[in-house]
Amino acid sequence: MRAGGDRQAVRAGTYTKKYARAVFSAGAGTVCAVLATTALALDLNSFRAQHGLRPLAASGALASAASGHAHSLAARQRLDHIGFRQRVQVTSGTAAENVAFGCATEDCVIRMWARSSRHRANMLRRDVTVYGLASADGGNGRRYWVLELGN
């Protein structure tokens, strides 16, 4: 049984998961972020487990940072890491960021990042303990994803 008491339903390599959304105040408006719950964390953390790594804990602060950047990317319809250090408020310690567009689901984006050596390396870092994941839909019909990793 996983943390939180949920049981994973596994049949022929598939599983079910629950999504949670949270609304964060962000200055003049609000943003909706996909928060990492135990069920949602399964994708990133099961990828890490396949490689013998410990699971990462969900971070509301990193989820909020990821959401803000995902909405910025979607509004600008481009990928970048502009403002990364300020966004995750890193003055010391480890932090990393993955960005992507085009996937409709978390499963898809985790698989996409797993096929890229640099993104894969970020997801498999041993020196991070927490993460935040969010997505936002752009006016061009693409979904933009941001994964923030840190301590």
Side-chain angles (χ1 to χ4, degrees), residues 24-73:
F24 296 96
S25 257
T30 57
V31 294
C32 187
V34 176
L35 271 186
T37 63
T38 302
L40 187 58
L42 182 62
D43 291 329
L44 176 59
N45 283 332
S46 56
F47 178 74
R48 289 176 58 85
Q50 291 171 7
H51 295 86
L53 298 174
R54 71 186 187 287
L56 302 178
S59 165
L62 288 182
S64 181
S67 177
H69 193 49
H71 281 83
S72 173
L73 296 176

Side-chain angles (χ1 to χ4, degrees), residues 23-145:
V23 177
F24 296 96
S25 257
T30 57
V31 294
C32 187
V34 176
L35 271 186
T37 63
T38 302
L40 187 58
L42 182 62
D43 291 329
L44 176 59
N45 283 332
S46 56
F47 178 74
R48 289 176 58 85
Q50 291 171 7
H51 295 86
L53 298 174
R54 71 186 187 287
L56 302 178
S59 165
L62 288 182
S64 181
S67 177
H69 193 49
H71 281 83
S72 173
L73 296 176
R76 294 180 289 121
Q77 299 181 9
R78 62 174 296 162
L79 294 179
D80 62 45
H81 298 281
I82 294 172
F84 166 64
R85 288 266 181 219
Q86 295 78 20
R87 186 169 41 260
V88 296
Q89 300 177 355
V90 173
T91 55
S92 64
T94 302
E97 176 179 72
N98 286 356
V99 297
F101 68 83
C103 283
T105 67
E106 178 191 1
D107 294 335
C108 172
V109 77
I110 294 294
R111 283 192 306 272
M112 181 189 301
W113 284 329
R115 289 188 300 267
S116 161
S117 62
R118 285 190 159 183
H119 295 101
R120 177 186 182 90
N122 281 345
M123 292 191 305
L124 296 177
R125 290 184 74 125
R126 295 179 183 274
D127 56 353
V128 296
T129 58
V130 295
Y131 79 103
L133 176 67
S135 68
D137 293 325
N140 57 1
R142 293 180 175 158
R143 178 168 286 181
Y144 291 79
W145 291 87

